[in-house]
Amino acid sequence: MAQLSAKSGRTIRTIVQWCFLLWVIGIGIRFGMFVNAAESGASVPVVSRPPGVEGFLPIGALTSLKYWLVSGKIHPIHPASLVIFLTVLLMSLLAKKSFCSWLCPVGTLSEGAHKLGRLLFGRNFSIWPWLDVVLRGVKYLLLLLFVKLILLDMPADTLSGFLDAPYWAVSDVKMLHFFTSMSITTVTVLAILTFLSLLYKNFWCRYLCPYGALLGLASIISPFKIRRDTSGCTGCRRCTAACPSGLAVHSSTAVSSPECTGCLTCVVHCPEHNILAMQPFFWKRPLPVLVFPAVVVLIFMVGIGVGMFSGHWHSSLSYADYQRLIPLEPYLSH
Ligand code: SF4
Ligand code: SF4
């Protein structure tokens, strides 16, 4: 990859991140209008339900994944949840944990928080190295818990029982209400996480997100990796100092760590020309600056496109189903 200037490298990622965040906010607003119409008894919704809202149902997506694996069928209630899940997984298998640093709205907000923290406190803080290692393990433990409970332990009949139940049907509405009618506990937890995100870089992503843990493990085999040309590297360590994941880039020939999000910050900060680059192992010549971002966005669009054109995008639930189920939502629990 041709050397990124600090300005262009940052600008490209910021544009992609904020476009995606705005798109997700648009989906949230549109889904809110749809639910509001159903709640108010309108005979037709002002807007149709955006299937992209199912991206906020990763646990259900994991259940759908197992259902798909054991039955060979994609469950029709919230098929987009599985399509998005598989797309993001594929993105990690091919292009590092790029979802986290290029597309994930939580990652974007988390990054904004630590930049704001730097403005407020003059710097970001570091956790003791031993505690950092321990805390990084928490997200893998959470992942293990979900994998055990859902992928390993959940019997086939329980799977369809969960996916056919009204609880799963209105899980998107439950998620909306989680944000629009927050309990004191939710507000307190979010406030604590926000405060910690101001102090420490990517606190949620680095320590707690089981989704990121899964994507990180998948990303180990990604052909794209940060690669360092040892012959021209001066050992200045600017890459390592800049890496938000705290990786020792200056001493790696290829960064395979599951913590690498493909953010390219190290590339941006390397003062040498074409010494540090995000390259697939099979490509030896410099790639144009836009290639990696284009690969990330393309994988996402192709994945969603395949879901749409194969008929696994829109929910089988009708507006009338939502009108019938939404009043029951507060009383539904799994
Ligand atoms: S190694 Fe480079 S691309 Fe990976 S997380 Fe660190 S700065 Fe970002
Ligand atoms: S910033 Fe570039 S030159 Fe400096 S140690 Fe890292 S790879 Fe080598």
Side-chain angles (χ1 to χ4, degrees):
M1 182 184 289
Q3 184 71 15
L4 287 171
S5 74
K7 199 159 173 256
S8 66
R10 277 200 204 101
T11 308
I12 294 168
R13 196 162 69 85
T14 304
I15 290 172
V16 174
Q17 282 180 305
W18 284 90
C19 285
F20 198 80
L21 179 63
L22 289 175
W23 184 57
V24 169
I25 291 172
I27 285 174
I29 292 172
R30 189 166 156 168
F31 184 59
M33 290 167 72
F34 174 84
V35 171
N36 195 34
E39 283 171 338
S40 63
S43 52
V44 268
V46 199
V47 289
S48 60
R49 176 186 173 278
V53 75
E54 294 171 24
F56 283 93
L57 307 173
I59 297 173
L62 200 59
T63 316
S64 283
L65 172 65
K66 177 154 180 188
Y67 178 84
W68 181 46
L69 293 175
V70 297
S71 71
K73 288 180 277 187
I74 292 182
H75 198 275
I77 296 282
H78 291 314
S81 66
L82 181 61
V83 169
I84 295 168
F85 182 82
L86 291 176
T87 301
V88 173
L89 198 57
L90 177 70
M91 192 183 290
S92 302
L93 288 167
L94 297 178
K96 291 301 293 178
K97 219 166 66 164
S98 48
F99 176 74
C100 301
S101 65
W102 289 81
L103 301 181
C104 178
V106 180
T108 302
L109 293 175
S110 183
E111 217 175 301
H114 78 69
K115 285 177 183 162
L116 179 63
R118 210 159 50 215
L119 277 177
L120 292 175
F121 307 113
R123 67 184 180 107
N124 293 121
F125 296 83
S126 305
I127 290 181
W128 298 302
W130 66 268
L131 186 57
D132 177 70
V133 172
V134 173
L135 288 178
R136 264 193 281 151
V138 173
K139 64 179 181 291
Y140 295 106
L141 285 177
L142 290 171
L143 172 66
L144 202 66
L145 184 72
F146 287 124
V147 167
K148 178 167 166 35
L149 289 178
I150 297 171
L151 282 189
L152 302 179
D153 291 354
M154 205 183 244
D157 52 341
T158 312
L159 279 175
S160 31
F162 173 82
L163 294 171
D164 291 334
Y167 178 86
W168 173 235
V170 292
S171 53
D172 49 358
V173 181
K174 275 191 171 295
M175 184 56 76
L176 178 76
H177 288 159
F178 173 83
F179 288 109
T180 54
S181 317
M182 289 191 203
S183 65
I184 296 290
T185 314
T186 307
V187 172
T188 309
V189 170
L190 287 182
I192 292 171
L193 284 174
T194 305
F195 182 65
L196 290 170
S197 303
L198 290 171
L199 298 182
Y200 305 105
K201 282 182 183 172
N202 302 330
F203 186 88
W204 166 261
C205 312
R206 186 168 176 79
Y207 300 123
L208 298 174
C209 179
Y211 203 13
L214 174 69
L215 302 184
L217 294 177
S219 78
I220 292 174
I221 61 165
S222 155
F224 272 96
K225 280 184 181 22
I226 292 290
R227 297 179 196 277
R228 187 176 60 99
D229 177 354
T230 51
S231 63
C233 171
T234 60
C236 71
R237 296 186 176 220
R238 287 193 202 179
C239 47
T240 298
C243 175
S245 300
L247 300 172
V249 187
H250 73 280
S251 58
S252 314
T253 46
V255 179
S256 298
S257 167
E259 301 295 329
C260 173
T261 61
C263 66
L264 305 185
T265 307
C266 52
V267 179
V268 163
H269 281 80
C270 177
E272 304 302 320
H273 188 59
N274 286 338
I275 294 304
L276 205 55
M278 179 63 94
Q279 300 259 146
F281 66 85
F282 51 81
W283 195 267
K284 301 298 174 201
R285 284 177 295 143
L287 285 171
V289 168
L290 279 172
V291 168
F292 188 66
V295 166
V296 171
V297 174
L298 195 68
I299 294 171
F300 188 79
M301 289 172 71
V302 168
I304 302 303
V306 168
M308 282 179 174
F309 289 112
S310 63
H312 299 111
W313 186 245
H314 291 281
S315 171
S316 58
L317 294 174
S318 64
Y319 178 62
D321 290 327
Y322 272 96
Q323 282 186 307
R324 181 173 52 82
L325 287 167
I326 285 175
L328 305 176
E329 181 266 319
Y331 311 104
L332 296 172
S333 63
H334 182 59

